[in-house]
Structures are given as C-alpha cells and as structure tokens.
Amino acid sequence: MEKPRVVVSVTTSVDGRVALHRDRPLMTTEDGKVWETLRPPSAQAVEEARDALLERLHSPTVRLEGSGSMVPPSTGPLTGLPPASADEVYEDFVAVDATRWFAVVDGRGRVRWTMKEAGGQHLLVLASRSTPAAYLAHLRRERISYLVAGTQRVDLGAALGRMRSLLGVSCVVSTGGGGLNGALLRAGLVDEIQLIVLPAAIGGLGTPGLFDGPAPADGELPTRLRLLSSHTEADGTLWLRYEVVRSG
C-alpha cells in the first residue's frame, strides 16, 4: 500500500535527548519550562524556517505524535467509560471532512481529549483492534475521528497507508518522542529527518532519545542517511536535514 512521505522533525540536545526524564512529558510537566531555558535566542527563528521549508517542499497535512507525549508511559487505559459493543467500533470513524490533522498513536486508549481541533488541525486517533471498545465508543460519542490499524498494537505502516487512501494525505511530519520515532525507523517508514540541535547536553541512562526502542536485531544494519543541508547559528543552534538512503 502506498504511504505518505514521513518526515521526522524534532529538536534535541547535542546528545540526542528529546526530554529530561522518562516519565515526565515536556507537554504536561514542569520539565517543559526547563527545556525552554536550553533554547538559544535563534532557536525559534530556526524552527520557523524549518517549518516553512517543509511547507514549501512537501505541504504536510498531518502532524504525528505518540500518546507518550501527552501522558506518562506508565499511564493505563481510561477508566469509568460505559461498556460498548465491539460490533462497529472497530471500523474506521472519520467525523469531519478535514484537510489538516493532528494524529496521535494511542493503541491503549490512554488520553481523555479535551480538544478536537486547534489551529486548523483536527484530532485523529490511531488505534488497533486491541484498543478497548469502550474507548473507541467514547471517541465516537465525542465525534473524534480515528483509524483502526493493526491487531495487538497500532500498525504504523497500515495506518499511514489508510491516511493516504482514505484522507488523501501525501506527507506526515512526526514531532513525537523517541518511542514513536524509533518505531517508524525500525519499520522503514522514515524518509527524511529534520533535526534542530540545541547547545546543551542532558545525559542520563534511559533519558528519552530521538529514536528509542529495541536495539537492532542481529544482522540488522543501521539506517544510512545522506546530508541534504546544514545551518549553524552563532549562538549554537544547529539545523540538519537528512534523507534516508534506501538500499537496493
């Protein structure tokens, strides 16, 4: 199945860290304020230039995140939802006719959403057939769109293919954490990496990195990259753009 172009677009420390602690997402904890202090004055302008380049080159219509960016990884499925029949909830549900989406991988049904649209982007949850039926029924009642891809967990390749065929998506930008980006990389789904590096080192065993997840299997080769461009600011901000080299 044909998939959209996938661009990983993330800001990291010089040692490739994307957060300060494993169980404290930047979006929802005080760690976000600390992270902001690491950003030199040029960082915002460089990020805006990166976003403008992505728009000019690829016109992305989906921003992709993992649920770990919203809630700690240890958070379990939502509780207190009424039981639901599985007859229809495992069918894709598109509640709105939208052109831009904020897609979140949430196969366990962990996020209780308080927003359905922001900045012209409509919420799209990526689920699997193991996602609790009560959670999918909850999304339907709230008129929140979702796609079901995969059996035991979200099949990212299948989900991307559905975005292409059902929603007409041609480019997806992943701004998520290392778990999502690592899964995309291991599945061979990443086409381009846009990396902004801040002049700070975080360190720490287990601190989330740009591409987290299991180590390469025996015989599995690292993903080779080709540098497309680089940009350096006097205050230490670095912007690197890479293309994934396809074998064969």
Side-chain angles (χ1 to χ4, degrees), residues 71-221:
V71 295
S74 58
T75 302
L78 287 184
T79 59
L81 299 175
S85 168
D87 290 343
E88 69 171 4
V89 296
Y90 289 103
E91 299 294 328
D92 295 331
F93 178 69
V94 181
V96 294
D97 183 14
T99 57
R100 289 186 175 269
W101 301 91
F102 175 65
V104 178
V105 181
D106 190 14
R108 286 182 282 170
R110 303 190 299 163
V111 184
R112 186 180 292 277
W113 295 101
T114 58
M115 66 75 117
K116 304 174 188 178
E117 184 272 335
Q121 294 180 327
H122 290 261
L123 178 61
L124 176 68
V125 176
L126 304 183
S128 75
R129 296 198 64 83
S130 67
T131 303
Y135 182 70
L136 297 180
H138 165 71
L139 295 181
R140 284 181 177 250
R141 287 192 297 270
E142 295 296 319
R143 303 293 296 171
I144 294 173
S145 301
Y146 64 84
L147 302 178
V148 179
T151 304
Q152 296 303 316
R153 62 184 61 191
V154 176
D155 183 326
L156 293 172
L160 289 167
R162 298 277 257 291
M163 288 185 199
R164 178 80 176 188
S165 61
L166 293 179
L167 305 177
V169 174
S170 60
C171 180
V172 171
V173 175
S174 174
T175 58
L180 172 60
N181 292 330
L184 289 168
L185 188 74
R186 282 286 174 264
L189 299 172
V190 178
D191 299 294
E192 182 179 329
I193 299 170
Q194 292 264 5
L195 185 62
I196 292 179
V197 182
L198 305 179
I202 295 171
L205 183 64
T207 306
L210 174 59
F211 294 108
D212 272 352
D218 290 343
E220 183 179 4
L221 298 177

